[in-house]
Amino acid sequence: MSEYSFIEYLEKLEEDRGAMAALRRGLGKASGDPEMYRYVVPFLDRYRSNDWIYFTIAALYGYHHDPTIEDGRNLGASMGALERNDSLQWRFSWLLDSQSDELPSRLKSVVSLLKSKNIPIDYRRLLRDLLAWEHPDRYVQLNWARSFYQTESKNEKE
């Protein structure tokens, strides 16, 4: 199954409050929560070592999926829309410096902030970016930085 079919599947679950609650229980847990296995495990490849990405995306989706977008915006652009301050700058650097085992909890923190400001996330893009997170060129992190620093922040609009 493709990565996109995973997101399409999550979108179909949006009206199922029980499913969304089960997905949220996996927030910050790289190996998910047993209650979310029925929704995520069918999408895992037997030989992949990136199961944590699917559990992380599902948990984040269960937590913050309204509104969602599909405009190709990466997480750096979403964070760039927030009001800039030292705390946000530090949090963004902290996220970019994350190893894959740190990302589930750090993404939980960032997505919580985006949810509080009702800033949408393109989950297809996020899934694709996380699948390439450990690329030696670190092009995902660089693209997020470009988007973050080139996006007009909330306080620059005012």
Side-chain angles (χ1 to χ4, degrees):
M1 287 184 236
S2 76
E3 291 85 14
Y4 291 134
S5 64
F6 180 63
I7 301 300
E8 289 172 6
Y9 175 72
L10 294 176
E11 290 170 343
K12 290 176 184 170
L13 292 175
E14 281 182 18
E15 301 301 319
D16 184 341
R17 296 176 66 176
M20 290 292 110
L23 295 178
R24 284 192 299 274
R25 287 187 190 93
L27 277 171
K29 301 175 185 174
S31 57
D33 181 271
E35 289 194 42
M36 66 189 307
Y37 289 176
R38 66 186 270 199
Y39 304 108
V40 178
V41 170
F43 291 89
L44 302 180
D45 187 329
R46 180 182 296 190
Y47 304 106
R48 281 190 192 163
S49 60
N50 56 10
D51 297 349
W52 69 270
I53 295 170
Y54 288 85
F55 285 117
T56 298
I57 291 289
L60 293 173
Y61 193 90
Y63 179 62
H64 177 42
H65 60 271
D66 185 26
T68 58
I69 54 170
E70 188 179 340
D71 64 356
R73 177 186 320 180
N74 66 35
L75 205 61
S78 294
M79 288 186 71
L82 294 166
E83 186 172 340
R84 300 276 167 88
N85 56 42
D86 290 343
S87 174
L88 181 67
Q89 298 278 351
W90 178 85
R91 192 180 296 211
F92 185 66
S93 295
W94 175 69
L95 179 64
L96 293 182
D97 195 37
S98 300
Q99 299 299 311
S100 58
D101 62 330
E102 299 166 323
L103 272 173
S105 63
R106 292 183 180 186
L107 282 168
K108 174 187 171 187
S109 172
V110 166
V111 170
S112 177
L113 182 61
L114 295 172
K115 179 178 179 175
S116 73
K117 303 297 181 190
N118 204 32
I119 295 177
I121 296 171
D122 184 334
Y123 281 97
R124 286 171 178 78
R125 177 66 187 261
L126 182 59
L127 176 59
R128 191 173 63 225
D129 285 351
L130 293 185
L131 288 168
W133 189 259
E134 295 179 343
H135 191 279
D137 292 345
R138 299 182 51 87
Y139 71 89
V140 171
Q141 292 86 341
L142 185 57
N143 286 338
W144 286 16
R146 279 191 187 105
S147 297
F148 179 79
Y149 292 108
Q150 293 173 352
T151 299
E152 185 178 358
S153 73
K154 182 178 177 182
N155 52 340
E156 291 170 332
K157 292 177 187 171
E158 297 171 348

